[in-house]
Amino acid sequence: MGRPRKFSNVKALEKSWEEYKKYCDNQMVLTHDFSSKNSEFVSKELRRSVTYTIEGFCTYIKISRSTFYEIYGKDKKFSDIVTRMKEECEVDARKKFELSVIPPQLAGLWMSKYGYTTKTDTNISGDLTVEQTKLDGIIKQMRGNG
């Protein structure tokens, strides 16, 4: 019989995705710092953002990732929104690296989820072949060399 659908149509899924993105972009975090001016610790609640992920969205709507892909990923009428959601996750992560919201040292780890790589290949003769990968391009741009 299949699993029950949380969203009966594309508009409902799209609305929930937009709500999730707002949730990610508006996290309130209590931060602590030392004020040398007053020689005291200061605490302040600041707005921060977290990266969009399909896994985070599934947690937000209370379904498993496998259920999400089984129900919506295989349904042709949802294919466009599911593809767009994946692409928005990738663009969001890249934007947050370029804006230094996420430390650039984590770029390889995060962006590998989207097919980016920093690997180099060796050819048959054993010479190192350095290929310009998408991630290399992002890192260059982040360093201002792009």
Side-chain angles (χ1 to χ4, degrees):
M1 178 161 142
R3 297 178 186 193
R5 288 182 176 260
K6 195 154 189 98
F7 306 103
S8 58
N9 59 56
V10 172
K11 288 282 185 204
L13 175 57
E14 189 172 38
K15 181 180 182 223
S16 190
W17 174 246
E18 292 302 320
E19 290 170 0
Y20 167 71
K21 292 190 306 182
K22 285 179 188 169
Y23 168 79
C24 289
D25 291 337
N26 293 290
Q27 295 292 304
M28 295 305 290
V29 179
L30 186 61
T31 60
H32 308 284
D33 203 355
F34 186 76
S35 169
S36 55
K37 179 180 175 184
N38 300 330
S39 297
E40 64 184 8
F41 280 98
V42 179
S43 297
K44 186 173 183 179
E45 199 169 32
L46 299 175
R47 184 182 326 270
R48 295 287 188 245
S49 63
V50 295
T51 308
Y52 312 155
T53 64
I54 296 297
E55 295 83 357
F57 176 69
C58 291
T59 301
Y60 179 77
I61 62 170
K62 298 178 175 42
I63 66 171
S64 70
R65 178 179 47 186
S66 61
T67 298
F68 175 80
Y69 283 115
E70 183 179 308
I71 294 176
Y72 305 104
K74 294 179 179 179
D75 187 330
K76 286 189 185 275
K77 75 178 184 179
F78 288 92
S79 66
D80 186 56
I81 182 67
V82 170
T83 298
R84 195 172 79 227
M85 290 167 68
K86 291 179 196 176
E87 291 169 350
E88 286 182 13
C89 289
E90 178 180 345
V91 169
D92 177 67
R94 181 176 172 163
K95 179 173 74 171
K96 287 175 178 164
F97 281 117
E98 291 176 0
L99 297 174
S100 298
V101 174
I102 302 172
Q105 303 90 318
L106 299 176
L109 175 68
W110 261 94
M111 298 308 291
S112 66
K113 292 175 58 170
Y114 304 108
Y116 295 82
T117 181
T118 56
K119 291 182 181 177
T120 55
D121 295 325
T122 54
N123 60 24
I124 294 173
S125 66
D127 296 330
L128 189 61
T129 307
V130 181
E131 294 180 349
Q132 182 64 37
T133 63
K134 291 193 286 185
L135 185 54
D136 292 334
I138 291 173
I139 292 170
K140 269 187 164 180
Q141 286 177 357
M142 291 170 58
R143 291 183 180 150
N145 301 336

